[in-house]
Amino acid sequence: MLEDLTNWAPQLLTGLGLTVELTFGGMAIALVLALLLALGRISSSRWLRVPAAAFVELIRGSPLLLQLFYIYYVLPAVGLRLSPIMAGLIGLGINYGAYLSEVFRAGIVAVGRGQREAAESLGMSEGQTLRFVILPQAWRIVIPPTGNYFVSMFKDTALVSTISLAELMFQGQLIASDTFRYMTIYSIIFVIYVVISIPASMGVRWLELYFNRSMSSR
Amino acid sequence: MAKKIIEVQGLEKFYGSIQVLHGVDLTIMAGEVVVVIGASGSGKSTLIRCINGLEMFNGGDILIDGYILTPARTNNRQNREELKKIRREVGMVFQQFNLFPHKTVLENVTLAPVQVRKLAKDKATAGALRLLERVGLSDQVHKYPGQLSGGQQQRVAIARSLAMEPRVMLFDEPTSALDPEMVGEVLEVMRGLANEGMTMIVVTHEMGFAREVADRVVYIDHGRILEQGPPDAIFDNPQQERTKTFLSRVLRH
Ligand SMILES: Nc1ncnc2c1ncn2[C@@H]1O[C@H](COP(=O)(O)OP(=O)(O)OP(=O)(O)O)[C@@H](O)[C@H]1O
Ligand SMILES: [Mg+2]
């Protein structure tokens, strides 16, 4: 087993590297998209509100796997050909962006009307109000749930193995089909995911406590 | 002869199908202190919130020092600029203070001057420190609002508003959320402002303050101004039955 591990290590590490890249890259896209969608959904303009809401519902109403297939296999038919990595990043980013936008929206709404009115009554524009008053407070509310999505994304990257991206799961499948040692390899993969995601979850919980404490001391 | 600074004409306001202001006319002279009284739900907050454009309205207009708010204008994005100018003329103090909890006392006061008036940071800070001294909070400037008492927070809120150098200050029940022992310190600051000649519209249940500081008391009943006049006249010799009933209820305790 130890020998197996050393033999497979380079391949697994390459896979893990890609998994981590996909997690961070996908999350970066998701965060930007989520902010835009959340702002769209609370906008006073119906022309922003309705499309943003429709988009979020579409994405939340369908499986991530289907979305990945759609981006990778269907979009080329209309002339948009994406590399597997781009398709994977965009698929993950869009899916998580939709879910996170709900978190962001709730965070922004939780800041409360009084804060907005105070800023407005001081003559601040909508943009200034958002930037200096609303978002800095929403941020503290939003960080812990966003952390959970981060950990969740780490695990969901396994789905992009289906569009031939050689991340951790895919590498495991390759090794398995070469050696037929399903139990050993998938157990190793299992452990790798868990060893990363459990401490990460604990870190998020710690963050949550930290933010709760620092908020109530104010 | 003092100059008119605010003129509210025929103000109509609906929430859905419910009318909460029925053709309110109110003229305020520069330097005047007007106290607005009335039962809960009579439309006091709605009236002053219309005056700085926090609330849209459905009819009438509001003139503020040469600027004009109309129903269309509060609704219309092209006139946001006009609204912005009005808000710079008019400061507002809320019942719940609404300080920015993530900013220090000093930052609360300098934020709008730096961002809106585009003052240099050191100028804004110097101004803020002066104002904070005036409201008696020089030793609290680096604290966060959550570390202050309600009375202190409300004084910061007043300083924050004054930092925009408004020509009119609106107060919506500034002491109603305070513990009784803190009411005095906030009224004291307001009294000081009044003495310096600030134009003020104050919604309050503090009848002692009204009697002492107000030039005029306005009684609102179900969205209409029923009676107004000098405090002594309103309190000692109200003309309307409803005013009498209201006053006997609030003055009893
Ligand atoms: N956002 C709103 N939506 C619907 N109705 C509202 C809203 N705000 C106020 N109202 C209603 O409008 C009426 C006037 O409210 P307003 O807050 O101006 O009264 P007020 O005189 O300030 O009362 P209080 O002394 O309780 O503060 C009330 O009947 C109230 O229920
Ligand atoms: Mg009110």
Side-chain angles (χ1 to χ4, degrees), chain A residues 146-160:
Chain A
T146 302
N148 286 325
Y149 275 98
F150 213 116
V151 177
S152 184
M153 163 97 75
F154 170 69
K155 294 173 292 177
D156 273 352
T157 52
L159 284 170
V160 304

Side-chain angles (χ1 to χ4, degrees), chain B residues 111-130:
Chain B
L111 179 64
V114 171
Q115 297 303 332
V116 181
R117 287 174 60 203
K118 309 290 177 202
L119 276 192
K121 192 117 189 215
D122 52 342
K123 272 233 178 75
T125 302
L129 290 174
R130 261 198 312 278

Side-chain angles (χ1 to χ4, degrees), chain B residues 100-163:
Chain B
F100 307 133
H102 59 300
K103 297 200 170 289
T104 64
V105 165
L106 185 60
E107 289 165 347
N108 263 276
V109 182
T110 54
L111 179 64
V114 171
Q115 297 303 332
V116 181
R117 287 174 60 203
K118 309 290 177 202
L119 276 192
K121 192 117 189 215
D122 52 342
K123 272 233 178 75
T125 302
L129 290 174
R130 261 198 312 278
L131 285 168
L132 286 166
E133 187 182 344
R134 182 160 147 200
V135 301
L137 290 171
S138 292
D139 45 349
Q140 315 283 343
V141 299
H142 296 299
K143 289 196 177 161
Y144 285 90
Q147 298 169 300
L148 302 183
S149 73
Q152 290 172 324
Q153 290 190 53
Q154 193 61 296
R155 286 185 280 150
V156 175
I158 294 173
R160 177 177 70 175
S161 217
L162 291 175

Side-chain angles (χ1 to χ4, degrees), chain B residues 22-27 47 218-228:
Chain B
H22 300 261
V24 171
D25 298 309
L26 182 65
T27 303
L47 171 62
V218 172
Y219 174 65
I220 296 194
D221 183 77
H222 290 103
R224 291 187 174 84
I225 293 184
L226 212 58
E227 189 164 358
Q228 55 180 311

Side-chain angles (χ1 to χ4, degrees), chain A residues 113, chain B residues 13-16 18-21 36-49 55 95 172-173 176 203 205 220 223:
Chain A
R113 203 169 81 148
Chain B
K13 165 75 185 173
F14 290 79
Y15 282 112
I18 300 170
Q19 185 161 11
V20 298
L21 293 177
V36 179
I37 60 173
S40 178
S42 55
K44 308 179 297 290
S45 299
T46 307
L47 171 62
I48 66 171
R49 289 164 57 83
E55 212 70 71
Q95 183 175 347
D172 191 0
E173 303 199 28
S176 295
V203 175
H205 296 297
I220 296 194

Side-chain angles (χ1 to χ4, degrees), chain B residues 54-74:
Chain B
L54 279 181
E55 212 70 71
M56 296 179 200
F57 49 95
N58 307 84
D61 46 49
I62 302 176
L63 284 93
I64 299 172
D65 204 24
Y67 300 107
I68 179 161
L69 274 175
T70 63
R73 285 206 169 175
T74 50

